[in-house]
Amino acid sequence: GESVGLHLPTLSVQEGDNSIINCAYSNSASDYFIWYKQESGKGPQFIIDIRSNMDKRQGQRVTVLLNKTVKHLSLQIAATQPGDSAVYFCAENNNDMRFGAGTRLTVKP
Amino acid sequence: NAGVMQNPRHLVRRRGQEARLRCSPMKGHSHVYWYRQLPEEGLKFMVYLQKENIIDESGMPKERFSAEFPKEGPSILRIQQVVRGDSAAYFCASCLQGGTEAFFGQGTRLTVV
């Protein structure tokens, strides 16, 4: 569901480590999910998506895991780089597209 | 194929004026979403439109705010009689149809002085 008015939780990782960003969703009937990356001053950028008939989907350095039982999504970023520093949002897209609160990822050199 | 285009990128309005924000979707996309974002906060859903049709406006204030997506031309988010609290970044996203990949524009940053 939507989280509005909440300041962003943060995750700080060392360059080269793996990052895991979590997201809980509210609608058990949701069947399509998207992860977005938002850099400062820019619009959200599509990273990866997954449909509810899958548990896992991999992209380049990113993996999304979907656990429908507990309504949980995670985004895993392998070998995190400074350019990965951004805010990451998950979204449920059931015609209307609602966003989670977002997580700020900071990569330390 | 140009991405989603929003203009203006920055808009300054005095209290009481009108703000008109434009969003041109990606070519072939007939669905548009509008969101509002305050600094260090998430994206708040405002309205979901299909060409010539409002599908869901549950996130949009009932007064002063309106949105349209005509058959020809961009989608417009209109804010009448702006107040300081309307200052925010407004993003639009477009997709082919609901439940598919949606792509965002770079946003319009509205400042009400």
Side-chain angles (χ1 to χ4, degrees):
Chain A
E2 269 190 332
S3 296
V4 176
L6 301 176
H7 289 284
L8 299 170
T10 58
L11 173 66
S12 183
V13 300
Q14 205 69 38
E15 182 178 356
D17 287 352
N18 297 334
S19 303
I20 300 176
I21 299 170
N22 296 304
C23 179
Y25 63 94
S26 56
N27 185 351
S28 56
S30 292
D31 64 357
Y32 181 57
F33 305 88
I34 309 174
W35 278 100
Y36 287 92
K37 171 186 180 183
Q38 187 178 27
E39 296 174 285
S40 180
K42 296 185 178 179
Q45 177 187 359
F46 178 95
I47 302 174
I48 191 168
D49 59 358
I50 189 167
R51 295 213 172 262
S52 60
N53 60 352
M54 302 173 71
D55 296 323
K56 178 179 179 180
R57 189 160 188 228
Q58 287 186 287
Q60 189 175 15
R61 282 202 307 118
V62 295
T63 301
V64 55
L65 299 177
L66 174 62
N67 186 330
K68 294 180 285 291
T69 303
V70 294
K71 293 187 286 187
H72 183 267
L73 272 170
S74 68
L75 177 71
Q76 301 178 1
I77 304 173
T80 314
Q81 301 168 0
D84 295 326
S85 293
V87 177
Y88 290 82
F89 294 98
C90 68
E92 305 169 65
N93 194 342
N94 305 303
N95 289 323
D96 64 339
M97 185 167 61
R98 305 290 176 135
F99 281 79
T103 297
R104 177 175 295 284
L105 175 66
T106 302
V107 181
K108 296 178 287 187
Chain B
N1 185 11
V4 178
M5 303 300 291
Q6 288 189 249
N7 69 82
R9 291 292 308 277
H10 300 274
L11 181 61
V12 179
R13 283 288 177 266
R14 296 186 184 281
R15 280 178 294 169
Q17 290 185 320
E18 177 180 289
R20 290 171 69 88
L21 287 60
R22 294 175 189 76
C23 171
S24 296
M26 286 182 71
K27 187 176 181 180
H29 286 190
S30 59
H31 293 241
V32 164
Y33 305 88
W34 283 95
Y35 295 86
R36 169 192 161 102
Q37 187 178 39
L38 294 172
E40 296 301 303
E41 293 190 6
L43 292 144
K44 181 180 183 301
F45 171 82
M46 297 182 73
V47 63
Y48 172 41
L49 308 111
Q50 192 179 6
K51 276 190 184 287
E52 300 184 280
N53 188 27
I54 296 175
I55 300 175
D56 182 349
E57 56 182 349
S58 58
M60 202 154 66
K62 295 284 186 284
E63 296 182 357
R64 301 189 299 109
F65 286 73
S66 63
E68 63 175 4
F69 188 15
K71 187 177 179 181
E72 302 290 339
S75 175
I76 305 286
L77 178 66
R78 183 180 177 210
I79 311 172
Q80 295 177 289
Q81 300 173 339
V82 295
V83 300
R84 288 223 171 104
D86 296 332
S87 296
Y90 292 84
F91 291 97
C92 79
S94 75
C95 61
L96 277 170
Q97 60 187 54
T100 61
E101 290 180 36
F103 298 92
F104 279 83
Q106 293 302 308
T108 293
R109 278 145 189 87
L110 173 65
T111 303
V112 180
V113 296

